[in-house]
Amino acid sequence: MLERIAAMHIPIPRPLLALVALAILLHPTAAAGDNAAAVAATGGAGDAVQTYLVVVCRANGPKEDGEKLREWHASLLASLLNTSAGTILEEARSPDGGGQLVYSYQHVVSGFAARLTTQQLDELRKLNWCVDAIPDVDYRLRTTFTPALLGVSTPQAGMWAAARSMGEGIIVAVLDNGIDPRHVSYADVGMPPPPAKWRGKCEFGGAPCNKKLIGGRSQTAGEHGTHTSSTAVGAFVSDVQVLRSSVGTASGMAPRAHLASYEVCFEDTCPSTKQLIAIEQGAFVDGVDVISISAGDDTQKPFYKDLTAVGSFSAVMSGVFVSTSAGNAGSDLGTVTNCAPWVLTVAASTMTRRVISTVKIGNGLVFQGEANRRYKALKATPIVYVSGVFENGALKAVDVRGKIVLCDRSEGPTMRSEMVRAAGGVGIIMFNDETEGAATRAMGNVTIAAARVSQADGAKIMAYVNSTANPTASLYFTGIVLDPAFQPAIAEYSSRGPCNMSNLGVLKPDITGPGTNIIAAVPGGSAGVPSRTFDMLSGTSMAAPHLSGIAAVLKRARPGWSPSAIRSALMTTADVTHPDGTPITDEITGKPASHLLMGSGIVNPTKALDPGLIYDLTTNDYLRYICGLGYNDSFVNDIIAQPLRNASCATSGKIEGKDLNYPSFLVTLTPAAPVVEVKRTVTNIGQAVSVYAAEVVAPNTVAVEVVPPRLQFSTVNQKMDFSVRFRRAANPVNGTVEGSLRWVSGKYSVRSPIVVLDGTMKLV
């Protein structure tokens, strides 16, 4: 996990207010994963206790939600534990939060979270009312100038100006590890009151809420949560200082939107059942409009085991937009998570901001690396190359006292730098191998003069060191710079597609947002005094809230748009080239980035306001998709489609994954199946009378036919169907080839990426 430049560690129609009183919530001191009290309740520590999502058949229970449903859940658990429902409920309400019933879900899934021993779990699975027991898993967290970088704040022409909105009246829920509620980024100067639909509470350990921070729950001043929430909706804060450098005015993407913060993580660990609770609370009880999740599983899972997918489905079907992070497991392919097609999955890019550490070697050559903290300059200092594993004693064979150590990055930067310092070294220059290429973002907690340089620059420094008997180097901390020549690229750590699950049929990630060296609020200052502390963090955790904030502005500007319409607008207007026409690249290789890295491209918020055409999706479309994946009616009713009742695959029908009306195309062509046809429907939300022509960039060795090749509209909101036939002409190169389809009409260019796999792609 990545972070802080060091805090994310990469290796990192709704219910009435009365329903608030009907939900069993965790006590503030308890966590879904905290099972100590339950161990005592079950007779000691001899049998391990874990939290499970217990899925039950809703058809056997009460038709009403609320108190009767909660009592039914308690009675089911009581039958397993040989006790009474009253005892179960009483223990659940206890101040220490130590009962075995953790939460009774009312909306997002048919079931409850419970702490169970292994023996109890075995007995549970024998009971006919238990559909499944899904173990709680720990999701991992993945974190000024970006409004300008993305064109959001451009006077007259930017998104805020075009939308005539900065998110007013929209409530964004951030699910993370807590916030510092007294930070100036949550000041409410110029803010409107919360909308009347808000039904949430303010539970921040005594800190007051206001018109910006309108509610939620947080017991700890989390760095990650403070950073992500202020990235999404932070207020304007002037004269921001980071690393003793002035970086100007900071704000979130939707600085006039309201914030509801839900603490679901402990440091960087987020129990999945607790995240599911927060999704239900925010979407169905409190009344939020957007949910931002900067956490995910370390591995891809089928939807019935992915509680983010389970909870977000019900939220999205109720009109809530959900933005998630793609993950920090790059650069390998097939590492993206949060693969459900109803959520927006966000990859991360670099930006023009760098934290420069300048290296000047004895022959006069100068290189720009990066560091994450200030240090005292080193002038003309001896430099020595040290190979091997430091932990195995490589440093002992070399005298590094008073010298700068040149080394690779085969061990963690924090450990390497500390070992150099302990051995008497005064500086360290770490160079990349070919898997890291040109990336230079600094990582770790390095306390001596330092620079991370690219593979190419490292080779030049090495050649110099080997060319002279007394090599020297100087290290200078230049600080934070905005370098227009350093154009955004897909970050080295950002997880890549595809989602390696059978028949999924959806290209992930969906889109890319800024994720590297993002300056936003973090906790700091004295107790009781508003904090003005800001810092830089990096990760897809930082990219996702950018899109959450942008979605909030879109929701305000286009209130009739569904979550899928918003996603379509964002994806079909994303940029695949920079303003100068050069392609967006992979940070590691410097070559054009593929759609498996960047999705549709880097978000262009202003264009998303007026996309021309959209690929919209209804609840029934998603049901047909889920049924087409092979899930049965029990899954549809009890796990995934709780806002619906008595949903049936026989009634809804089925479609293949490739035919989901998604704004991108992912198909597989093999010798046995060399032709694939997919279907799509677009809705005209641009000019009423318009004609769109198909422009195809066919993937190498693949023939593409669009039928019909022209779409003629006569009214706004008119829908038109088309199909795309892909035919394998020869063996694809390297297992995957790419192209695009654009529907073009006047100022509109509605672009969808095409990725064709050959069925033999080997995912690492």
Side-chain angles (χ1 to χ4, degrees):
M1 247 200 258
L2 304 168
E3 221 148 26
R4 178 104 160 219
I5 305 192
M8 212 189 316
H9 313 285
I10 285 186
I12 231 323
R14 299 181 179 168
L16 298 175
L17 177 61
L19 282 180
V20 175
L22 300 178
I24 297 178
L25 294 173
L26 285 170
H27 188 271
T29 60
D34 180 6
N35 300 304
V39 171
T42 54
D47 196 358
V49 175
Q50 184 175 348
T51 301
Y52 295 86
L53 169 63
V54 181
V55 182
V56 300
C57 183
R58 181 65 188 270
N60 297 330
K63 292 182 169 39
E64 302 90 342
D65 293 328
E67 188 67 32
K68 289 188 177 181
L69 181 59
R70 180 178 65 169
E71 291 175 349
W72 181 58
H73 288 159
S75 70
L76 294 176
L77 184 57
S79 69
L80 171 69
L81 303 179
N82 195 27
T83 186
S84 69
T87 299
I88 293 292
L89 292 171
E90 183 178 353
E91 291 175 349
R93 297 188 186 102
S94 65
D96 63 2
Q100 286 185 258
L101 180 60
V102 176
Y103 190 85
S104 171
Y105 294 100
Q106 303 282 313
H107 307 285
V108 297
V109 66
S110 174
F112 54 89
R115 300 185 182 99
L116 302 172
T117 66
T118 304
Q119 180 179 353
Q120 290 166 349
L121 177 66
D122 291 340
E123 293 300 317
L124 171 71
R125 285 178 165 153
K126 298 175 184 177
L127 301 175
N128 58 13
W129 52 261
C130 176
V131 176
D132 201 356
I134 303 171
D136 199 6
V137 297
D138 288 336
Y139 293 154
R140 302 291 176 184
L141 293 173
R142 301 167 166 175
T143 212
T144 56
F145 173 64
T146 45
L149 177 73
L150 297 176
V152 172
S153 60
T154 305
Q156 298 181 328
M159 185 188 199
W160 292 340
R164 298 181 180 179
S165 168
M166 297 183 184
E168 291 87 346
I170 302 299
I171 304 171
V172 177
V174 175
L175 279 54
D176 214 290
N177 70 350
I179 63 169
D180 178 358
R182 292 183 172 87
H183 200 284
V184 293
S185 286
Y186 308 128
D188 64 354
V189 177
M191 286 287 299
K197 68 175 183 176
W198 171 249
R199 300 181 294 271
K201 296 180 180 180
C202 179
E203 298 177 317
F204 293 103
C209 289
N210 58 24
K211 290 181 288 187
K212 162 62 74 174
L213 177 57
I214 61 175
R217 167 177 288 172
S218 177
Q219 301 301 311
T220 58
E223 178 183 64
H224 194 274
T226 303
H227 196 280
T228 56
S229 59
S230 62
T231 297
V233 301
F236 291 100
V237 180
S238 60
D239 300 324
V240 171
Q241 300 279 325
V242 176
L243 296 175
R244 287 186 279 172
S245 296
S246 177
V247 294
T249 297
S251 82
M253 294 294 103
R256 293 291 183 261
H258 306 283
L259 171 63
S261 174
Y262 300 86
E263 183 178 348
V264 300
C265 307
F266 312 96
E267 296 184 351
D268 69 348
T269 300
C270 314
S272 57
T273 53
K274 192 169 187 186
Q275 184 164 289
L276 190 61
I277 292 169
I279 293 173
E280 174 164 297
Q281 183 74 24
F284 292 94
V285 180
D286 294 348
V288 306
D289 301 293
V290 176
I291 294 177
S292 186
I293 303 174
S294 289
D297 209 331
D298 291 334
T299 58
Q300 298 174 4
K301 282 185 169 64
F303 294 151
Y304 73 92
K305 290 185 178 180
D306 181 350
L307 298 195
T308 299
V310 169
S312 61
F313 182 89
S314 296
V316 171
M317 296 311 101
S318 299
V320 177
F321 184 89
V322 180
S323 173
T324 65
S325 55
N328 293 334
S331 60
D332 291 337
L333 293 174
T335 51
V336 64
T337 58
N338 289 323
C339 290
W342 43 87
V343 303
L344 185 75
T345 307
V346 186
S349 73
T350 64
M351 54 184 296
T352 55
R353 179 185 292 124
R354 303 176 73 199
V355 189
I356 299 298
S357 178
T358 301
V359 180
K360 182 177 181 180
I361 57 179
N363 62 7
L365 292 179
V366 177
F367 308 95
Q368 285 191 342
E370 289 195 70
N372 56 22
R373 63 185 299 162
R374 285 187 173 272
Y375 57 80
K376 186 177 180 179
L378 300 176
K379 299 181 180 180
T381 303
I383 181 173
V384 59
Y385 170 62
V386 179
S387 63
V389 180
F390 287 17
E391 277 194 314
N392 291 346
L395 275 176
K396 296 179 181 179
V398 183
D399 182 8
V400 301
R401 290 175 296 178
K403 298 176 183 177
I404 297 171
V405 170
L406 175 68
C407 63
D408 62 28
R409 286 172 34 84
S410 57
E411 295 172 288
T414 300
M415 186 203 71
R416 287 214 149 185
S417 64
E418 283 303 299
M419 293 185 72
V420 168
R421 184 192 59 78
V426 294
I428 186 169
I429 300 172
M430 291 172 279
F431 59 85
N432 294 340
D433 62 16
E434 62 181 5
T435 66
E436 299 172 314
T440 58
R441 178 192 48 80
M443 292 185 286
N445 184 20
V446 179
T447 58
I448 57 176
R452 178 190 178 189
V453 298
S454 68
Q455 180 191 18
D457 288 349
K460 294 174 184 177
I461 298 171
M462 175 75 78
Y464 161 70
V465 169
N466 291 334
S467 71
T468 179
N470 298 297
T472 62
S474 301
L475 279 170
Y476 304 92
F477 184 79
T478 306
I480 299 173
V481 300
L482 293 174
D483 182 0
F486 193 75
Q487 298 195 100
I490 305 305
E492 58 170 334
Y493 54 82
S494 187
S495 292
R496 273 71 166 152
C499 292
N500 191 24
M501 290 184 282
S502 178
N503 301 320
L504 193 66
V506 173
L507 176 63
K508 292 283 182 169
D510 291 313
I511 199 166
T512 299
T516 298
N517 292 345
I518 304 302
I519 292 177
V522 294
S526 304
V529 178
S531 171
R532 289 186 53 88
T533 306
F534 286 77
D535 205 349
M536 280 185 296
L537 303 183
S538 297
T540 54
S541 277
M542 284 63 252
H546 279 90
L547 272 296
S548 303
I550 292 166
V553 178
L554 282 173
K555 257 189 165 298
R556 172 66 177 185
R558 305 288 184 260
W561 286 8
S562 67
S564 58
I566 292 174
R567 182 186 56 231
S568 175
L570 291 167
M571 291 174 63
T572 60
T573 59
D575 292 329
V576 294
T577 59
H578 298 295
D580 63 3
T582 58
I584 292 167
T585 60
D586 179 353
E587 181 187 21
I588 296 173
T589 65
K591 297 178 181 179
S594 80
H595 290 297
L596 294 177
L597 277 66
M598 65 178 174
S600 296
I602 294 179
V603 62
N604 187 319
T606 306
K607 284 185 178 180
L609 284 164
D610 188 17
L613 304 176
I614 56 170
Y615 295 80
D616 208 353
L617 284 160
T618 66
T619 298
N620 195 59
D621 292 328
Y622 284 119
L623 285 178
R624 294 167 65 211
Y625 169 79
I626 292 168
C627 293
L629 292 177
Y631 292 114
N632 59 25
D633 286 354
S634 176
F635 173 83
V636 171
N637 280 288
D638 298 330
I639 298 181
I640 203 78
Q642 274 302 288
L644 312 173
R645 294 293 166 86
N646 301 318
S648 166
C649 291
T651 302
S652 67
K654 301 178 181 181
I655 59 170
E656 294 184 49
K658 64 181 177 63
D659 289 324
L660 184 69
N661 198 39
Y662 217 69
S664 58
F665 299 89
L666 177 68
V667 298
T668 299
L669 300 179
T670 66
V675 178
V676 171
E677 182 173 300
V678 303
K679 301 174 182 178
R680 292 292 188 271
T681 301
V682 288
T683 304
N684 177 29
I685 58 170
Q687 296 175 350
V689 179
S690 54
V691 177
Y692 285 81
E695 294 185 1
V696 175
V697 176
N700 186 26
T701 70
V702 176
V704 180
E705 181 185 12
V706 182
V707 180
R710 288 164 57 88
L711 301 176
Q712 188 165 345
F713 295 93
S714 57
T715 61
V716 174
N717 294 324
Q718 181 181 354
K719 299 179 184 293
M720 295 200 72
D721 301 331
F722 68 93
S723 64
V724 184
R725 174 172 290 187
F726 301 92
R727 180 172 54 82
R728 176 187 174 117
N731 290 330
V733 179
N734 296 328
T736 177
V737 289
E738 299 189 356
S740 64
L741 165 64
R742 291 181 187 265
W743 287 107
V744 179
S745 177
K747 69 175 183 177
Y748 296 114
S749 179
V750 187
R751 185 183 187 278
S752 294
I754 296 170
V755 175
V756 180
L757 309 177
D758 71 350
T760 63
M761 189 175 191
K762 297 296 189 294
L763 301 180
V764 180

